[in-house]
Amino acid sequence: MTSALTVVVLVCLAYLVFTTVVYVTLTLIGAVESIVRRHESSSADYAGMGASRFTIPVSVVVPAFNEERVIASTTRWMLELDYPEHEVIVVNDGSSDGTLAALVEAFELEPYEAFVRRVFPHHEVRAMYRSPDHPNLVVVDKANGGKADALNAALDVARYRYVCAVDADTWFDRKALLKGMRLAVQDPAKVIGVTSHLTTARKPEEAMSAPQGRRRIDLHPLMAYQHLDFLRAFFNNRTAWSRGNYMLCSPGAFAIWRRDVLEEVGGYARTFTCEDIELTFRVHEKYLREGRDYQILCLTDNVATTEGPDTAGKLVSQRERWQRVIDETVWHYRRMWFNPRYKAVGLVGAPFYLLTEVLAPAFELLGMVALVGAIALGLFQPLTFAVMIAAIAFTNAALTASAVYFEDLQSRSYRKRDLAVLLLLTPLDFVLYRPLILWARLKGSWGFLRRDKSWNKFERNVRGAEA
Amino acid sequence: MTALQQLERAHHPAVQSLVHVVLDDPDERVATAAIRTLGDIGDDWAIDILIDALRKGRGPRSRVAAELEELAPAPGPRLVPLLRDWDSAVRFWAATLLGRYPNLAESSLIGLTWDQEPNVRAAAVETLGTRSGAAVGAALVARLDDGEWFVRVHAARAAGRVVGAAAAPTIARLLADPKWWVRTAAKDALRGIGTDAVPSLLSVLAHDDAFARNGAAEVLQDIGFVDFLALDDPTSLLLERIYEAGGDRYREAVAARVDDVPKQEVQAA
């Protein structure tokens, strides 16, 4: 019994050391990428790009399900993005609230008929609307079919070569499209997908309305920890993935794709719980299998703030879904694991997901149970345990602090005082926030095993209550 | 990159020689920074280097073109010889950049609408679409039958702008083009022509291709013809033919729109 427990503890410790080394390595690679991108971004000619007729037009596609309270304002915001030519296609995915009515009223929409190709699979379109004041706005009303289904309907309507899929509850930096499209414009033959860094808040519009350098971070504890979590996801992981060309998650809140690529792969998959990560895996799989030269990039510019859950229950529900999506996707593409045919994606990216995302909840739970057992049986001294916890918390805090530093270096978005508070919260992340995430991930893993595909959309936050 | 920019801001004499070195840097991002710096400088010598870079492919040509475009009208005449370059990429960019110079190289651009390289033909057609005149119009209409679909796309839009109603019957034929993007461009062009395109559109309502009939109905809707007819003579056979081409949802959308419009306003219009 005791020897078995010792083995379990050692395995879990080895896993912990391994993941820590991986994260530190990724952070270092990400730091190089951040610095390079910062130099590029600081010398980028956004004014010239914004005025140039060579800047490639973009279709912004917005799936909306029960977004009555935010849809008019986010759509208006998207219409006002600083970009030479873009259209906004909002798809009302069979909402049961007044989403469509809100759009009709806000933009004085009138019904019209447009005959488009049926290239992507989706449920029936009931009606289409246009606005006399905003010729670049199209609203599609369709039967409910889920987010992927709504995105596919929007892709059928999209007129431009690049599409930018966004969430209806997300507010963008005015230059978000310019920032996102900067690299695509330089090499449209190779750059097939771009995403960028985004953050979370209860009232995203307040964060994005403030000028650069004076933006507030939502310091509600749960929001602050989510903010840190987003920073870590981008600056400790994705920037490094981008540098190694194995960017495996273009998040649904801001993902630019070349439309013909989406056409080639058959659009968004409707059989997965969520569409974004699966699509990214699928594109990699196809392009690498066919030996094609391409890039999917993650930039370090802060382009948007999305609405995040403001209670523990909502957060767990959201993260449980994210875990399920990761599990579903990584399992579905298991042929890519450690497969040299898929280059860095097969040898680094997919295994990374498997080891640090899919298996992590099991290791974390097992490790905690084994440690408690080991202490109870006297195999492990409580002092050693405390030192270990402190070491983990310190490493965790150091990684998070580096993410805060690189984000600030890149965008200089936030007030210094808010950044200081974030840094003060960092060491407690391990005990206040991580347990919640662990619980959500365990639930998600269990849901995956039970083949649960539900969405669990969280209720709107303070704005919902105010409305 | 930063060092070069700092030197440029300080008007350092070494910039001119340094920029050549940086432009040939194997790292495309560094070369791009040099191109940007040359655009910022904008002097004659900088323009010469940019044109040379465009010709020899030093750095990304799209970035070079973007800088040259911002310098308009300065480099215009110097771009004309590039229309005869052996490299089709150079001819493409020269034809594209000449869009900002309405009085330059018309005959050369018309000649390029017959270039063997479709990208060059498309660029020439697009640029000619910003001009006017019978020769330009004839060249554009000729390209409506181009073998390459994206040339037809540019030709449809350009011919709609330059030739107008006289090109409508030919453009309307493209509503039945095998390529979807050509049909879309034809719809855009016919929308741009407006009510002068109505006779051509009505002739497509009897087309064998359902998508062509749909397209004609869509444009008739977008230019306001259907709404006018629905208010002025809701029982007309012509309206019924358009409804048949558009389908049920089309009919419902028209009904919803005209419900809100007072009839007197339409008659007055």
Side-chain angles (χ1 to χ4, degrees):
Chain A
M1 170 71 181
T2 53
S3 60
L5 200 58
T6 309
V7 169
V8 171
V9 169
L10 288 175
V11 167
C12 290
L13 275 175
Y15 175 80
L16 182 67
V17 171
F18 168 75
T19 51
T20 304
V21 169
V22 167
Y23 279 120
V24 169
T25 309
L26 287 175
T27 302
L28 293 173
I29 297 169
V32 174
E33 178 74 356
S34 294
I35 290 165
V36 170
R37 294 291 179 209
R38 187 174 73 87
H39 279 297
E40 278 179 8
S41 189
S42 64
S43 63
D45 180 14
Y46 292 122
M49 199 180 147
S52 171
R53 66 190 168 108
F54 301 142
T55 303
I56 305 169
V58 178
S59 300
V60 178
V61 296
V62 192
F65 176 70
N66 289 350
E67 301 284 5
E68 177 184 6
R69 292 186 175 112
V70 295
I71 194 66
S73 44
T74 48
T75 302
R76 199 174 297 285
W77 192 276
M78 287 170 204
L79 286 166
E80 290 168 3
L81 289 177
D82 186 5
Y83 201 74
E85 189 177 351
H86 75 290
E87 63 176 355
V88 177
I89 301 164
V90 183
V91 180
N92 175 44
D93 186 33
S95 298
S96 54
D97 67 353
T99 299
L100 182 62
L103 285 164
V104 169
E105 190 187 339
F107 299 100
E108 298 178 347
L109 298 178
E110 57 179 25
Y112 82 116
E113 180 64 310
F115 296 94
V116 295
R117 287 184 306 169
R118 283 293 302 263
V119 175
F120 300 95
H122 59 79
H123 283 45
E124 181 204 0
V125 170
R126 296 192 288 227
M128 293 179 69
Y129 297 85
R130 64 187 173 190
S131 164
D133 298 331
H134 300 278
N136 60 335
L137 171 64
V138 176
V139 174
V140 178
D141 180 36
K142 63 176 277 294
N144 180 256
K147 189 178 174 188
D149 196 76
L151 284 165
N152 283 342
L155 293 179
D156 267 346
V157 178
R159 291 165 55 91
Y160 297 136
R161 189 179 179 191
Y162 279 84
V163 291
C164 180
V166 302
D167 281 349
D169 58 356
T170 302
W171 267 258
F172 292 90
D173 185 294
R174 295 282 183 211
K175 289 190 167 46
L177 281 180
L178 285 174
K179 288 177 177 177
M181 285 297 291
R182 180 170 57 85
L183 294 179
V185 167
Q186 282 178 24
D187 196 354
K190 193 170 174 185
V191 178
I192 61 171
V194 180
T195 184
S196 201
H197 160 50
L198 42 99
T199 53
T200 183
R202 283 175 300 171
K203 292 185 178 180
E205 67 277 28
E206 285 184 4
M208 298 312 285
S209 300
Q212 200 86 353
R214 276 188 281 167
R215 287 184 186 159
R216 287 165 184 264
I217 295 171
D218 190 340
L219 292 174
H220 175 287
L222 205 56
M223 302 312 298
Y225 281 119
Q226 284 179 75
H227 188 100
L228 287 171
D229 208 7
F230 272 58
L231 289 184
R232 281 193 58 167
F234 282 93
F235 289 92
N236 294 158
N237 290 348
R238 291 183 193 171
T239 45
W241 303 351
S242 181
R243 189 159 189 84
N245 205 16
Y246 56 93
M247 236 305 291
L248 279 166
C249 181
S250 281
F254 184 81
I256 294 173
W257 290 102
R258 221 174 61 199
R259 188 183 182 280
D260 61 296
V261 172
L262 299 183
E263 217 171 302
E264 266 189 67
V265 300
Y268 289 90
R270 301 184 294 171
T271 50
F272 286 75
T273 300
C274 189
E275 79 302 332
D276 48 7
I277 180 173
E278 190 281 332
L279 177 69
T280 323
F281 265 76
R282 188 148 39 102
V283 171
H284 276 297
E285 199 281 331
K286 182 175 171 59
Y287 271 63
L288 288 167
R289 182 163 35 83
E290 295 175 358
R292 291 156 75 173
D293 190 21
Y294 72 101
Q295 278 186 316
I296 300 172
L297 301 170
C298 178
L299 304 179
T300 48
D301 300 274
N302 182 358
V303 292
T305 303
T306 189
E307 185 168 333
D310 64 346
T311 67
K314 292 179 198 172
L315 176 69
V316 168
S317 169
Q318 183 196 55
R319 296 306 173 93
E320 182 256 326
R321 171 164 51 86
W322 290 7
Q323 182 65 33
R324 255 191 293 128
V325 173
I326 290 170
D327 292 354
E328 282 171 18
T329 307
V330 174
W331 177 247
H332 184 81
Y333 290 96
R334 56 192 178 278
R335 63 184 171 282
M336 295 170 80
W337 302 351
F338 307 104
N339 187 340
R341 183 182 187 182
Y342 295 105
K343 297 184 177 170
V345 175
L347 296 174
V348 185
F352 171 85
Y353 259 104
L354 175 67
L355 295 171
T356 65
E357 299 285 349
V358 177
L359 298 178
F363 270 112
E364 286 172 22
L365 181 67
L366 191 65
M368 279 181 10
V369 172
L371 269 176
V372 171
I375 291 167
L377 292 173
L379 297 173
F380 220 59
Q381 295 304 315
L383 182 63
T384 315
F385 177 71
V387 169
M388 244 184 62
I389 294 292
I392 295 167
F394 175 78
T395 312
N396 206 34
L399 288 171
T400 310
S402 74
V404 172
Y405 171 74
F406 282 112
E407 201 278 340
D408 186 50
L409 197 66
Q410 174 70 42
S411 64
R412 299 277 182 221
S413 294
Y414 300 109
R415 301 186 309 174
K416 296 288 173 205
R417 200 182 68 190
D418 290 4
L419 290 172
V421 175
L422 265 193
L423 287 173
L424 286 174
L425 287 170
T426 301
L428 297 174
D429 164 277
F430 186 66
V431 284
L432 294 179
Y433 181 71
R434 291 287 143 196
L436 267 180
I437 299 301
L438 173 60
W439 173 236
R441 293 170 87 177
L442 287 167
K443 280 185 76 177
S445 302
W446 179 241
F448 163 67
L449 294 172
R450 288 175 51 238
R451 301 191 177 187
D452 178 8
K453 302 265 183 182
S454 56
W455 180 271
N456 298 338
K457 183 184 172 92
F458 66 84
E459 292 296 317
R460 288 289 153 227
N461 294 335
V462 279
R463 279 174 304 153
E466 284 166 1
Chain B
M1 292 191 272
T2 311
L4 184 66
Q5 283 157 1
Q6 297 289 347
L7 287 169
E8 187 269 310
R9 277 181 208 125
H11 302 289
H12 196 281
V15 169
Q16 199 166 342
S17 53
L18 272 175
V19 84
H20 277 284
V21 178
V22 178
L23 199 55
D24 289 327
D25 195 286
D27 186 337
E28 207 165 74
R29 291 171 301 199
V30 178
T32 301
I35 291 163
R36 167 94 199 279
T37 305
L38 286 164
D40 288 344
I41 295 167
D43 293 344
D44 273 359
W45 66 265
I47 293 170
D48 283 340
I49 296 175
L50 281 172
I51 289 176
D52 187 60
L54 187 70
R55 207 160 51 77
K56 293 179 179 163
R58 297 165 78 189
R61 282 196 169 103
S62 60
R63 288 302 308 146
V64 178
E67 294 301 333
L68 285 169
E69 172 106 333
E70 280 179 43
L71 293 170
R78 280 185 264 182
L79 295 169
V80 177
L82 302 184
L83 292 173
R84 295 188 296 276
D85 198 277
W86 64 271
D87 186 341
S88 63
V90 178
R91 295 199 300 279
F92 165 82
W93 280 113
T96 301
L97 287 166
L98 282 166
R100 286 281 177 98
Y101 306 90
N103 301 316
L104 280 179
E106 182 174 297
S107 55
S108 300
L109 285 165
I110 289 173
L112 284 186
T113 63
W114 295 92
D115 195 281
Q116 59 181 2
E117 179 59 45
N119 282 316
V120 179
R121 294 201 297 275
V125 163
E126 193 181 357
T127 294
L128 288 171
T130 62
R131 301 181 179 203
S132 58
V136 171
L140 295 175
V141 171
R143 291 276 57 84
L144 289 171
D145 290 321
D146 196 283
E148 199 63 56
W149 67 269
F150 58 87
V151 181
R152 295 199 297 281
V153 164
H154 286 287
R157 295 208 170 100
R161 275 194 299 268
V162 175
V163 186
T170 324
I171 296 173
R173 274 199 290 116
L174 296 182
L175 291 173
D177 194 278
K179 277 283 178 187
W180 180 261
W181 298 111
V182 180
R183 295 172 186 224
T184 303
K187 284 195 263 185
D188 290 343
L190 292 164
R191 263 186 220 109
I193 293 170
T195 49
D196 288 345
V198 168
S200 307
L201 290 164
L202 294 178
S203 71
V204 182
L205 292 177
H207 202 285
D208 293 342
D209 183 333
F211 274 121
R213 296 197 300 273
N214 291 163
E218 185 180 335
V219 180
L220 287 166
Q221 163 201 252
D222 292 345
I223 61 180
F225 182 76
V226 181
D227 289 17
F228 176 81
L229 212 55
L231 284 159
D232 190 52
D233 185 5
T235 57
S236 82
L237 289 174
L238 179 58
L239 184 63
E240 197 52 40
R241 274 183 63 205
I242 298 171
Y243 281 157
E244 275 175 27
D248 290 343
R249 220 168 57 191
Y250 182 93
R251 187 191 295 262
E252 287 161 18
V254 175
R257 285 198 306 272
V258 298
D259 270 355
D260 297 336
V261 183
K263 198 170 179 180
Q264 305 87 302
E265 270 183 31
V266 181
Q267 282 168 341

